[in-house]
mmCIF file with all atom_site columns, all heavy atoms in Angstrom:
data_model
loop_
_atom_site.group_PDB
_atom_site.id
_atom_site.type_symbol
_atom_site.label_atom_id
_atom_site.label_alt_id
_atom_site.label_comp_id
_atom_site.label_asym_id
_atom_site.label_entity_id
_atom_site.label_seq_id
_atom_site.pdbx_PDB_ins_code
_atom_site.Cartn_x
_atom_site.Cartn_y
_atom_site.Cartn_z
_atom_site.occupancy
_atom_site.B_iso_or_equiv
_atom_site.pdbx_formal_charge
_atom_site.auth_seq_id
_atom_site.auth_comp_id
_atom_site.auth_asym_id
_atom_site.auth_atom_id
_atom_site.pdbx_PDB_model_num
ATOM 1   N N   . ARG K 1 1  ? 155.659 37.734 -72.568 1.00 76.00 ? 108 ARG K N   1
ATOM 2   C CA  . ARG K 1 1  ? 157.072 38.086 -72.481 1.00 76.00 ? 108 ARG K CA  1
ATOM 3   C C   . ARG K 1 1  ? 157.904 36.956 -71.859 1.00 76.00 ? 108 ARG K C   1
ATOM 4   O O   . ARG K 1 1  ? 159.004 36.596 -72.300 1.00 76.00 ? 108 ARG K O   1
ATOM 5   C CB  . ARG K 1 1  ? 157.268 39.366 -71.686 1.00 76.00 ? 108 ARG K CB  1
ATOM 6   C CG  . ARG K 1 1  ? 158.700 39.852 -71.633 1.00 76.00 ? 108 ARG K CG  1
ATOM 7   C CD  . ARG K 1 1  ? 158.803 41.132 -70.793 1.00 76.00 ? 108 ARG K CD  1
ATOM 8   N NE  . ARG K 1 1  ? 158.550 40.862 -69.390 1.00 76.00 ? 108 ARG K NE  1
ATOM 9   C CZ  . ARG K 1 1  ? 159.446 40.321 -68.548 1.00 76.00 ? 108 ARG K CZ  1
ATOM 10  N NH1 . ARG K 1 1  ? 160.669 40.033 -68.996 1.00 76.00 ? 108 ARG K NH1 1
ATOM 11  N NH2 . ARG K 1 1  ? 159.131 40.124 -67.285 1.00 76.00 ? 108 ARG K NH2 1
ATOM 12  N N   . LEU K 1 2  ? 157.345 36.376 -70.775 1.00 80.00 ? 109 LEU K N   1
ATOM 13  C CA  . LEU K 1 2  ? 158.031 35.270 -70.107 1.00 80.00 ? 109 LEU K CA  1
ATOM 14  C C   . LEU K 1 2  ? 158.144 34.051 -70.987 1.00 80.00 ? 109 LEU K C   1
ATOM 15  O O   . LEU K 1 2  ? 159.156 33.331 -71.023 1.00 80.00 ? 109 LEU K O   1
ATOM 16  C CB  . LEU K 1 2  ? 157.306 34.898 -68.785 1.00 80.00 ? 109 LEU K CB  1
ATOM 17  C CG  . LEU K 1 2  ? 157.392 35.955 -67.699 1.00 80.00 ? 109 LEU K CG  1
ATOM 18  C CD1 . LEU K 1 2  ? 156.472 35.581 -66.543 1.00 80.00 ? 109 LEU K CD1 1
ATOM 19  C CD2 . LEU K 1 2  ? 158.822 36.183 -67.203 1.00 80.00 ? 109 LEU K CD2 1
ATOM 20  N N   . ALA K 1 3  ? 157.063 33.810 -71.759 1.00 76.00 ? 110 ALA K N   1
ATOM 21  C CA  . ALA K 1 3  ? 157.040 32.640 -72.673 1.00 76.00 ? 110 ALA K CA  1
ATOM 22  C C   . ALA K 1 3  ? 158.115 32.853 -73.749 1.00 76.00 ? 110 ALA K C   1
ATOM 23  O O   . ALA K 1 3  ? 158.813 31.885 -74.137 1.00 76.00 ? 110 ALA K O   1
ATOM 24  C CB  . ALA K 1 3  ? 155.682 32.481 -73.279 1.00 76.00 ? 110 ALA K CB  1
ATOM 25  N N   . ASP K 1 4  ? 158.235 34.060 -74.228 1.00 76.00 ? 111 ASP K N   1
ATOM 26  C CA  . ASP K 1 4  ? 159.256 34.354 -75.267 1.00 76.00 ? 111 ASP K CA  1
ATOM 27  C C   . ASP K 1 4  ? 160.655 34.114 -74.668 1.00 76.00 ? 111 ASP K C   1
ATOM 28  O O   . ASP K 1 4  ? 161.499 33.514 -75.356 1.00 76.00 ? 111 ASP K O   1
ATOM 29  C CB  . ASP K 1 4  ? 159.095 35.780 -75.764 1.00 76.00 ? 111 ASP K CB  1
ATOM 30  C CG  . ASP K 1 4  ? 160.146 36.153 -76.776 1.00 76.00 ? 111 ASP K CG  1
ATOM 31  O OD1 . ASP K 1 4  ? 160.121 35.627 -77.885 1.00 76.00 ? 111 ASP K OD1 1
ATOM 32  O OD2 . ASP K 1 4  ? 161.053 36.948 -76.415 1.00 76.00 ? 111 ASP K OD2 1
ATOM 33  N N   . ALA K 1 5  ? 160.873 34.564 -73.466 1.00 80.00 ? 112 ALA K N   1
ATOM 34  C CA  . ALA K 1 5  ? 162.201 34.335 -72.838 1.00 80.00 ? 112 ALA K CA  1
ATOM 35  C C   . ALA K 1 5  ? 162.452 32.877 -72.602 1.00 80.00 ? 112 ALA K C   1
ATOM 36  O O   . ALA K 1 5  ? 163.585 32.380 -72.826 1.00 80.00 ? 112 ALA K O   1
ATOM 37  C CB  . ALA K 1 5  ? 162.257 35.128 -71.502 1.00 80.00 ? 112 ALA K CB  1
ATOM 38  N N   . TYR K 1 6  ? 161.417 32.139 -72.209 1.00 77.00 ? 113 TYR K N   1
ATOM 39  C CA  . TYR K 1 6  ? 161.573 30.700 -71.945 1.00 77.00 ? 113 TYR K CA  1
ATOM 40  C C   . TYR K 1 6  ? 161.963 29.966 -73.231 1.00 77.00 ? 113 TYR K C   1
ATOM 41  O O   . TYR K 1 6  ? 162.845 29.127 -73.226 1.00 77.00 ? 113 TYR K O   1
ATOM 42  C CB  . TYR K 1 6  ? 160.237 30.153 -71.414 1.00 77.00 ? 113 TYR K CB  1
ATOM 43  C CG  . TYR K 1 6  ? 160.249 28.649 -71.112 1.00 77.00 ? 113 TYR K CG  1
ATOM 44  C CD1 . TYR K 1 6  ? 160.600 28.210 -69.810 1.00 77.00 ? 113 TYR K CD1 1
ATOM 45  C CD2 . TYR K 1 6  ? 159.939 27.727 -72.078 1.00 77.00 ? 113 TYR K CD2 1
ATOM 46  C CE1 . TYR K 1 6  ? 160.621 26.833 -69.543 1.00 77.00 ? 113 TYR K CE1 1
ATOM 47  C CE2 . TYR K 1 6  ? 159.960 26.390 -71.811 1.00 77.00 ? 113 TYR K CE2 1
ATOM 48  C CZ  . TYR K 1 6  ? 160.292 25.928 -70.522 1.00 77.00 ? 113 TYR K CZ  1
ATOM 49  O OH  . TYR K 1 6  ? 160.304 24.598 -70.240 1.00 77.00 ? 113 TYR K OH  1
ATOM 50  N N   . ASP K 1 7  ? 161.296 30.295 -74.342 1.00 75.00 ? 114 ASP K N   1
ATOM 51  C CA  . ASP K 1 7  ? 161.553 29.609 -75.598 1.00 75.00 ? 114 ASP K CA  1
ATOM 52  C C   . ASP K 1 7  ? 162.842 30.025 -76.308 1.00 75.00 ? 114 ASP K C   1
ATOM 53  O O   . ASP K 1 7  ? 163.528 29.216 -76.909 1.00 75.00 ? 114 ASP K O   1
ATOM 54  C CB  . ASP K 1 7  ? 160.392 29.803 -76.585 1.00 75.00 ? 114 ASP K CB  1
ATOM 55  C CG  . ASP K 1 7  ? 159.170 28.997 -76.187 1.00 75.00 ? 114 ASP K CG  1
ATOM 56  O OD1 . ASP K 1 7  ? 159.331 27.940 -75.488 1.00 75.00 ? 114 ASP K OD1 1
ATOM 57  O OD2 . ASP K 1 7  ? 158.042 29.358 -76.594 1.00 75.00 ? 114 ASP K OD2 1
ATOM 58  N N   . ASN K 1 8  ? 163.199 31.319 -76.131 1.00 79.00 ? 115 ASN K N   1
ATOM 59  C CA  . ASN K 1 8  ? 164.281 31.866 -76.984 1.00 79.00 ? 115 ASN K CA  1
ATOM 60  C C   . ASN K 1 8  ? 165.532 32.327 -76.258 1.00 79.00 ? 115 ASN K C   1
ATOM 61  O O   . ASN K 1 8  ? 166.558 32.554 -76.920 1.00 79.00 ? 115 ASN K O   1
ATOM 62  C CB  . ASN K 1 8  ? 163.697 33.046 -77.797 1.00 79.00 ? 115 ASN K CB  1
ATOM 63  C CG  . ASN K 1 8  ? 162.534 32.649 -78.640 1.00 79.00 ? 115 ASN K CG  1
ATOM 64  O OD1 . ASN K 1 8  ? 162.615 31.647 -79.379 1.00 79.00 ? 115 ASN K OD1 1
ATOM 65  N ND2 . ASN K 1 8  ? 161.425 33.436 -78.593 1.00 79.00 ? 115 ASN K ND2 1
ATOM 66  N N   . LYS K 1 9  ? 165.472 32.420 -74.924 1.00 84.00 ? 116 LYS K N   1
ATOM 67  C CA  . LYS K 1 9  ? 166.639 33.005 -74.230 1.00 84.00 ? 116 LYS K CA  1
ATOM 68  C C   . LYS K 1 9  ? 167.244 32.099 -73.153 1.00 84.00 ? 116 LYS K C   1
ATOM 69  O O   . LYS K 1 9  ? 168.312 32.359 -72.676 1.00 84.00 ? 116 LYS K O   1
ATOM 70  C CB  . LYS K 1 9  ? 166.253 34.337 -73.592 1.00 84.00 ? 116 LYS K CB  1
ATOM 71  C CG  . LYS K 1 9  ? 165.829 35.391 -74.623 1.00 84.00 ? 116 LYS K CG  1
ATOM 72  C CD  . LYS K 1 9  ? 165.448 36.685 -73.959 1.00 84.00 ? 116 LYS K CD  1
ATOM 73  C CE  . LYS K 1 9  ? 164.984 37.714 -75.001 1.00 84.00 ? 116 LYS K CE  1
ATOM 74  N NZ  . LYS K 1 9  ? 164.624 39.010 -74.413 1.00 84.00 ? 116 LYS K NZ  1
ATOM 75  N N   . LEU K 1 10 ? 166.509 31.054 -72.740 1.00 85.00 ? 117 LEU K N   1
ATOM 76  C CA  . LEU K 1 10 ? 166.967 30.200 -71.668 1.00 85.00 ? 117 LEU K CA  1
ATOM 77  C C   . LEU K 1 10 ? 167.548 28.879 -72.223 1.00 85.00 ? 117 LEU K C   1
ATOM 78  O O   . LEU K 1 10 ? 167.037 28.374 -73.221 1.00 85.00 ? 117 LEU K O   1
ATOM 79  C CB  . LEU K 1 10 ? 165.850 29.847 -70.689 1.00 85.00 ? 117 LEU K CB  1
ATOM 80  C CG  . LEU K 1 10 ? 165.205 31.036 -69.963 1.00 85.00 ? 117 LEU K CG  1
ATOM 81  C CD1 . LEU K 1 10 ? 164.107 30.546 -69.034 1.00 85.00 ? 117 LEU K CD1 1
ATOM 82  C CD2 . LEU K 1 10 ? 166.230 31.843 -69.187 1.00 85.00 ? 117 LEU K CD2 1
ATOM 83  N N   . ASP K 1 11 ? 168.575 28.364 -71.544 1.00 87.00 ? 118 ASP K N   1
ATOM 84  C CA  . ASP K 1 11 ? 169.052 27.036 -71.910 1.00 87.00 ? 118 ASP K CA  1
ATOM 85  C C   . ASP K 1 11 ? 168.253 25.974 -71.131 1.00 87.00 ? 118 ASP K C   1
ATOM 86  O O   . ASP K 1 11 ? 167.315 26.341 -70.426 1.00 87.00 ? 118 ASP K O   1
ATOM 87  C CB  . ASP K 1 11 ? 170.552 26.909 -71.626 1.00 87.00 ? 118 ASP K CB  1
ATOM 88  C CG  . ASP K 1 11 ? 170.910 27.136 -70.162 1.00 87.00 ? 118 ASP K CG  1
ATOM 89  O OD1 . ASP K 1 11 ? 169.964 27.139 -69.312 1.00 87.00 ? 118 ASP K OD1 1
ATOM 90  O OD2 . ASP K 1 11 ? 172.102 27.317 -69.847 1.00 87.00 ? 118 ASP K OD2 1
ATOM 91  N N   . CYS K 1 12 ? 168.633 24.706 -71.267 1.00 83.00 ? 119 CYS K N   1
ATOM 92  C CA  . CYS K 1 12 ? 167.827 23.643 -70.651 1.00 83.00 ? 119 CYS K CA  1
ATOM 93  C C   . CYS K 1 12 ? 167.816 23.778 -69.105 1.00 83.00 ? 119 CYS K C   1
ATOM 94  O O   . CYS K 1 12 ? 166.793 23.467 -68.461 1.00 83.00 ? 119 CYS K O   1
ATOM 95  C CB  . CYS K 1 12 ? 168.377 22.274 -71.065 1.00 83.00 ? 119 CYS K CB  1
ATOM 96  S SG  . CYS K 1 12 ? 170.090 21.949 -70.558 1.00 83.00 ? 119 CYS K SG  1
ATOM 97  N N   . TRP K 1 13 ? 168.903 24.296 -68.537 1.00 88.00 ? 120 TRP K N   1
ATOM 98  C CA  . TRP K 1 13 ? 168.944 24.426 -67.072 1.00 88.00 ? 120 TRP K CA  1
ATOM 99  C C   . TRP K 1 13 ? 168.013 25.579 -66.628 1.00 88.00 ? 120 TRP K C   1
ATOM 100 O O   . TRP K 1 13 ? 167.344 25.460 -65.582 1.00 88.00 ? 120 TRP K O   1
ATOM 101 C CB  . TRP K 1 13 ? 170.369 24.696 -66.609 1.00 88.00 ? 120 TRP K CB  1
ATOM 102 C CG  . TRP K 1 13 ? 171.310 23.599 -66.986 1.00 88.00 ? 120 TRP K CG  1
ATOM 103 C CD1 . TRP K 1 13 ? 172.310 23.628 -67.949 1.00 88.00 ? 120 TRP K CD1 1
ATOM 104 C CD2 . TRP K 1 13 ? 171.355 22.264 -66.456 1.00 88.00 ? 120 TRP K CD2 1
ATOM 105 N NE1 . TRP K 1 13 ? 172.922 22.399 -68.035 1.00 88.00 ? 120 TRP K NE1 1
ATOM 106 C CE2 . TRP K 1 13 ? 172.358 21.570 -67.121 1.00 88.00 ? 120 TRP K CE2 1
ATOM 107 C CE3 . TRP K 1 13 ? 170.590 21.615 -65.477 1.00 88.00 ? 120 TRP K CE3 1
ATOM 108 C CZ2 . TRP K 1 13 ? 172.663 20.227 -66.843 1.00 88.00 ? 120 TRP K CZ2 1
ATOM 109 C CZ3 . TRP K 1 13 ? 170.879 20.296 -65.179 1.00 88.00 ? 120 TRP K CZ3 1
ATOM 110 C CH2 . TRP K 1 13 ? 171.919 19.618 -65.878 1.00 88.00 ? 120 TRP K CH2 1
ATOM 111 N N   . GLY K 1 14 ? 168.062 26.656 -67.393 1.00 86.00 ? 121 GLY K N   1
ATOM 112 C CA  . GLY K 1 14 ? 167.134 27.748 -67.080 1.00 86.00 ? 121 GLY K CA  1
ATOM 113 C C   . GLY K 1 14 ? 165.685 27.364 -67.167 1.00 86.00 ? 121 GLY K C   1
ATOM 114 O O   . GLY K 1 14 ? 164.858 27.745 -66.329 1.00 86.00 ? 121 GLY K O   1
ATOM 115 N N   . ARG K 1 15 ? 165.309 26.585 -68.204 1.00 83.00 ? 122 ARG K N   1
ATOM 116 C CA  . ARG K 1 15 ? 163.948 26.133 -68.357 1.00 83.00 ? 122 ARG K CA  1
ATOM 117 C C   . ARG K 1 15 ? 163.545 25.217 -67.195 1.00 83.00 ? 122 ARG K C   1
ATOM 118 O O   . ARG K 1 15 ? 162.409 25.282 -66.703 1.00 83.00 ? 122 ARG K O   1
ATOM 119 C CB  . ARG K 1 15 ? 163.815 25.453 -69.684 1.00 83.00 ? 122 ARG K CB  1
ATOM 120 C CG  . ARG K 1 15 ? 163.924 26.382 -70.892 1.00 83.00 ? 122 ARG K CG  1
ATOM 121 C CD  . ARG K 1 15 ? 163.901 25.634 -72.218 1.00 83.00 ? 122 ARG K CD  1
ATOM 122 N NE  . ARG K 1 15 ? 164.150 26.531 -73.315 1.00 83.00 ? 122 ARG K NE  1
ATOM 123 C CZ  . ARG K 1 15 ? 164.333 26.143 -74.588 1.00 83.00 ? 122 ARG K CZ  1
ATOM 124 N NH1 . ARG K 1 15 ? 164.276 24.844 -74.858 1.00 83.00 ? 122 ARG K NH1 1
ATOM 125 N NH2 . ARG K 1 15 ? 164.558 27.019 -75.511 1.00 83.00 ? 122 ARG K NH2 1
ATOM 126 N N   . GLN K 1 16 ? 164.453 24.326 -66.754 1.00 85.00 ? 123 GLN K N   1
ATOM 127 C CA  . GLN K 1 16 ? 164.144 23.444 -65.660 1.00 85.00 ? 123 GLN K CA  1
ATOM 128 C C   . GLN K 1 16 ? 163.949 24.257 -64.375 1.00 85.00 ? 123 GLN K C   1
ATOM 129 O O   . GLN K 1 16 ? 163.015 23.979 -63.628 1.00 85.00 ? 123 GLN K O   1
ATOM 130 C CB  . GLN K 1 16 ? 165.338 22.452 -65.440 1.00 85.00 ? 123 GLN K CB  1
ATOM 131 C CG  . GLN K 1 16 ? 165.157 21.541 -64.257 1.00 85.00 ? 123 GLN K CG  1
ATOM 132 C CD  . GLN K 1 16 ? 163.993 20.586 -64.407 1.00 85.00 ? 123 GLN K CD  1
ATOM 133 O OE1 . GLN K 1 16 ? 163.602 20.284 -65.501 1.00 85.00 ? 123 GLN K OE1 1
ATOM 134 N NE2 . GLN K 1 16 ? 163.472 20.111 -63.279 1.00 85.00 ? 123 GLN K NE2 1
ATOM 135 N N   . ALA K 1 17 ? 164.742 25.291 -64.185 1.00 87.00 ? 124 ALA K N   1
ATOM 136 C CA  . ALA K 1 17 ? 164.573 26.151 -62.990 1.00 87.00 ? 124 ALA K CA  1
ATOM 137 C C   . ALA K 1 17 ? 163.229 26.850 -63.024 1.00 87.00 ? 124 ALA K C   1
ATOM 138 O O   . ALA K 1 17 ? 162.517 26.939 -61.969 1.00 87.00 ? 124 ALA K O   1
ATOM 139 C CB  . ALA K 1 17 ? 165.688 27.179 -62.916 1.00 87.00 ? 124 ALA K CB  1
ATOM 140 N N   . VAL K 1 18 ? 162.808 27.325 -64.185 1.00 85.00 ? 125 VAL K N   1
ATOM 141 C CA  . VAL K 1 18 ? 161.508 27.960 -64.336 1.00 85.00 ? 125 VAL K CA  1
ATOM 142 C C   . VAL K 1 18 ? 160.370 26.980 -63.999 1.00 85.00 ? 125 VAL K C   1
ATOM 143 O O   . VAL K 1 18 ? 159.438 27.276 -63.299 1.00 85.00 ? 125 VAL K O   1
ATOM 144 C CB  . VAL K 1 18 ? 161.300 28.557 -65.735 1.00 85.00 ? 125 VAL K CB  1
ATOM 145 C CG1 . VAL K 1 18 ? 159.869 29.011 -65.960 1.00 85.00 ? 125 VAL K CG1 1
ATOM 146 C CG2 . VAL K 1 18 ? 162.216 29.733 -65.934 1.00 85.00 ? 125 VAL K CG2 1
ATOM 147 N N   . ARG K 1 19 ? 160.474 25.740 -64.551 1.00 82.00 ? 126 ARG K N   1
ATOM 148 C CA  . ARG K 1 19 ? 159.421 24.730 -64.313 1.00 82.00 ? 126 ARG K CA  1
ATOM 149 C C   . ARG K 1 19 ? 159.342 24.433 -62.815 1.00 82.00 ? 126 ARG K C   1
ATOM 150 O O   . ARG K 1 19 ? 158.227 24.310 -62.256 1.00 82.00 ? 126 ARG K O   1
ATOM 151 C CB  . ARG K 1 19 ? 159.695 23.460 -65.100 1.00 82.00 ? 126 ARG K CB  1
ATOM 152 C CG  . ARG K 1 19 ? 159.505 23.640 -66.619 1.00 82.00 ? 126 ARG K CG  1
ATOM 153 C CD  . ARG K 1 19 ? 159.467 22.287 -67.320 1.00 82.00 ? 126 ARG K CD  1
ATOM 154 N NE  . ARG K 1 19 ? 160.735 21.584 -67.233 1.00 82.00 ? 126 ARG K NE  1
ATOM 155 C CZ  . ARG K 1 19 ? 161.723 21.687 -68.120 1.00 82.00 ? 126 ARG K CZ  1
ATOM 156 N NH1 . ARG K 1 19 ? 161.604 22.521 -69.137 1.00 82.00 ? 126 ARG K NH1 1
ATOM 157 N NH2 . ARG K 1 19 ? 162.837 21.010 -67.969 1.00 82.00 ? 126 ARG K NH2 1
ATOM 158 N N   . GLU K 1 20 ? 160.481 24.269 -62.149 1.00 84.00 ? 127 GLU K N   1
ATOM 159 C CA  . GLU K 1 20 ? 160.478 23.963 -60.737 1.00 84.00 ? 127 GLU K CA  1
ATOM 160 C C   . GLU K 1 20 ? 159.865 25.095 -59.896 1.00 84.00 ? 127 GLU K C   1
ATOM 161 O O   . GLU K 1 20 ? 159.119 24.836 -58.962 1.00 84.00 ? 127 GLU K O   1
ATOM 162 C CB  . GLU K 1 20 ? 161.892 23.636 -60.266 1.00 84.00 ? 127 GLU K CB  1
ATOM 163 C CG  . GLU K 1 20 ? 162.439 22.330 -60.815 1.00 84.00 ? 127 GLU K CG  1
ATOM 164 C CD  . GLU K 1 20 ? 163.899 22.064 -60.347 1.00 84.00 ? 127 GLU K CD  1
ATOM 165 O OE1 . GLU K 1 20 ? 164.467 22.922 -59.644 1.00 84.00 ? 127 GLU K OE1 1
ATOM 166 O OE2 . GLU K 1 20 ? 164.424 20.969 -60.699 1.00 84.00 ? 127 GLU K OE2 1
ATOM 167 N N   . LEU K 1 21 ? 160.235 26.348 -60.296 1.00 86.00 ? 128 LEU K N   1
ATOM 168 C CA  . LEU K 1 21 ? 159.698 27.491 -59.540 1.00 86.00 ? 128 LEU K CA  1
ATOM 169 C C   . LEU K 1 21 ? 158.202 27.581 -59.705 1.00 86.00 ? 128 LEU K C   1
ATOM 170 O O   . LEU K 1 21 ? 157.452 27.838 -58.756 1.00 86.00 ? 128 LEU K O   1
ATOM 171 C CB  . LEU K 1 21 ? 160.358 28.791 -60.035 1.00 86.00 ? 128 LEU K CB  1
ATOM 172 C CG  . LEU K 1 21 ? 159.841 30.093 -59.414 1.00 86.00 ? 128 LEU K CG  1
ATOM 173 C CD1 . LEU K 1 21 ? 160.080 30.047 -57.924 1.00 86.00 ? 128 LEU K CD1 1
ATOM 174 C CD2 . LEU K 1 21 ? 160.548 31.297 -60.042 1.00 86.00 ? 128 LEU K CD2 1
ATOM 175 N N   . VAL K 1 22 ? 157.702 27.396 -60.944 1.00 81.00 ? 129 VAL K N   1
ATOM 176 C CA  . VAL K 1 22 ? 156.269 27.455 -61.218 1.00 81.00 ? 129 VAL K CA  1
ATOM 177 C C   . VAL K 1 22 ? 155.525 26.373 -60.408 1.00 81.00 ? 129 VAL K C   1
ATOM 178 O O   . VAL K 1 22 ? 154.489 26.619 -59.785 1.00 81.00 ? 129 VAL K O   1
ATOM 179 C CB  . VAL K 1 22 ? 155.975 27.322 -62.736 1.00 81.00 ? 129 VAL K CB  1
ATOM 180 C CG1 . VAL K 1 22 ? 154.490 27.146 -62.955 1.00 81.00 ? 129 VAL K CG1 1
ATOM 181 C CG2 . VAL K 1 22 ? 156.459 28.546 -63.468 1.00 81.00 ? 129 VAL K CG2 1
ATOM 182 N N   . ALA K 1 23 ? 156.114 25.148 -60.397 1.00 80.00 ? 130 ALA K N   1
ATOM 183 C CA  . ALA K 1 23 ? 155.476 24.060 -59.659 1.00 80.00 ? 130 ALA K CA  1
ATOM 184 C C   . ALA K 1 23 ? 155.434 24.362 -58.159 1.00 80.00 ? 130 ALA K C   1
ATOM 185 O O   . ALA K 1 23 ? 154.439 24.124 -57.477 1.00 80.00 ? 130 ALA K O   1
ATOM 186 C CB  . ALA K 1 23 ? 156.215 22.738 -59.887 1.00 80.00 ? 130 ALA K CB  1
ATOM 187 N N   . THR K 1 24 ? 156.515 24.926 -57.622 1.00 83.00 ? 131 THR K N   1
ATOM 188 C CA  . THR K 1 24 ? 156.588 25.272 -56.202 1.00 83.00 ? 131 THR K CA  1
ATOM 189 C C   . THR K 1 24 ? 155.578 26.366 -55.848 1.00 83.00 ? 131 THR K C   1
ATOM 190 O O   . THR K 1 24 ? 154.854 26.239 -54.892 1.00 83.00 ? 131 THR K O   1
ATOM 191 C CB  . THR K 1 24 ? 158.032 25.753 -55.856 1.00 83.00 ? 131 THR K CB  1
ATOM 192 O OG1 . THR K 1 24 ? 158.922 24.693 -56.046 1.00 83.00 ? 131 THR K OG1 1
ATOM 193 C CG2 . THR K 1 24 ? 158.088 26.272 -54.415 1.00 83.00 ? 131 THR K CG2 1
#
């Protein structure tokens, strides 16, 4: 579900925020 949201519902800023949160 998260992967679907990442690919289809987030813009570039949202994807960057997800990547930073996952790394943290």
Side-chain angles (χ1 to χ4, degrees):
R108 184 181 67 81
L109 292 173
D111 177 69
Y113 180 91
D114 284 338
N115 301 312
K116 298 179 181 179
L117 298 181
D118 60 14
C119 62
W120 301 109
R122 292 174 185 173
Q123 176 65 24
V125 169
R126 290 195 295 270
E127 290 179 357
L128 177 60
V129 170
T131 294

